[in-house]
Amino acid sequence: MAELGDLVRLFGPPPARESSPEDWAEVEDYVGSALPYDFKAFLDAYGTGAICGELVVFHPRGTSPLLTRMRKVHESFGQSWRRGSDEYPFRFHPDPGGLISWGYDYSGDEHFFWPCAQQPDRWKVVTNINGAHPEVFDGPFTDFVLSFVKRLRDVDPYHGIDPDAVAFLEPEDLNELAARGEIGPVNPSFEPF
């Protein structure tokens, strides 16, 4: 099981920021439980931002507060679930055992905690893929982030470009696209906002 130190080694030292356990009180009151320790530790260290320019996470005191987003997502997904409950195996908070929103990615996937155990550090991560198909990650937040980053790092050098277009581009053009991060593997990063 990974720890915050593994993410710090990957993303570099977190920005200097003030945080307090009280930052989480309103969110955890709304959820009715503590949230996973590794999730809170990461967000207390790094704050609201984007992991590798793709995975967006929210701190309770960030520019986009976590609680505001949670309420919006839970309401929206909860309404969708009530309309199509036969097609989706999970409920959403505040329903008992309902998924708890914590972030999204720019591919259109929403990310949730599944409170499937009494101890929040044993909760699983559920990714709602493009609004329809859930995928369960059997591990904590930190392991999920490491796996997410690994997938972005392990793509082929021309990932993100139409394969037919590769033959028509000069090597310099491909190198420029890669240098700008528009194609190919992604370097581990965290960008606060």
Side-chain angles (χ1 to χ4, degrees):
M1 184 159 81
E3 297 178 354
L4 179 60
D6 296 311
L7 296 179
V8 170
R9 281 187 287 286
L10 192 62
F11 301 133
R17 39 177 285 111
E18 297 271 331
S19 63
S20 162
E22 290 83 40
D23 291 349
W24 295 94
E26 192 177 13
V27 173
E28 292 180 333
D29 184 53
Y30 166 74
V31 170
S33 170
L35 291 170
Y37 173 79
D38 64 335
F39 172 71
K40 294 190 310 184
F42 178 80
L43 285 160
D44 282 344
Y46 285 89
T48 296
I51 296 168
C52 296
E54 178 67 16
L55 178 62
V56 180
V57 294
F58 300 88
H59 188 273
R61 302 282 181 240
T63 55
S64 296
L66 177 61
L67 183 56
T68 302
R69 184 162 201 299
M70 277 181 165
R71 287 182 170 145
K72 179 180 165 189
V73 170
H74 294 159
E75 176 65 25
S76 172
F77 276 76
Q79 287 177 1
S80 296
W81 181 85
R82 286 186 276 286
R83 285 193 302 271
S85 60
D86 298 348
E87 302 167 18
Y88 197 82
F90 296 101
R91 294 179 178 210
F92 298 90
H93 186 76
D95 287 349
L99 299 180
I100 299 166
S101 173
W102 60 259
Y104 72 92
D105 62 51
Y106 290 128
S107 297
D109 302 332
E110 289 285 337
H111 302 282
F112 300 89
F113 288 119
W114 178 22
C116 56
Q118 290 235 334
Q119 298 171 335
D121 293 333
R122 300 187 126 185
W123 291 357
K124 297 178 182 182
V125 172
V126 173
T127 297
N128 189 59
I129 299 174
N130 295 312
H133 306 289
E135 183 178 287
V136 177
F137 181 84
D138 191 14
F141 172 80
T142 305
D143 288 349
F144 176 81
V145 170
L146 288 173
S147 175
F148 191 92
V149 171
K150 182 177 179 346
R151 280 195 321 250
L152 294 174
R153 291 173 78 182
D154 289 350
V155 299
D156 70 74
Y158 304 122
H159 178 78
I161 192 167
D162 181 350
D164 294 334
V166 172
F168 296 102
L169 293 171
E170 297 295 327
E172 308 83 55
D173 296 329
L174 290 171
N175 291 339
E176 184 179 330
L177 289 169
R180 290 194 315 234
E182 294 180 30
I183 64 170
V186 172
N187 290 321
S189 65
F190 183 84
E191 183 68 34
F193 55 81

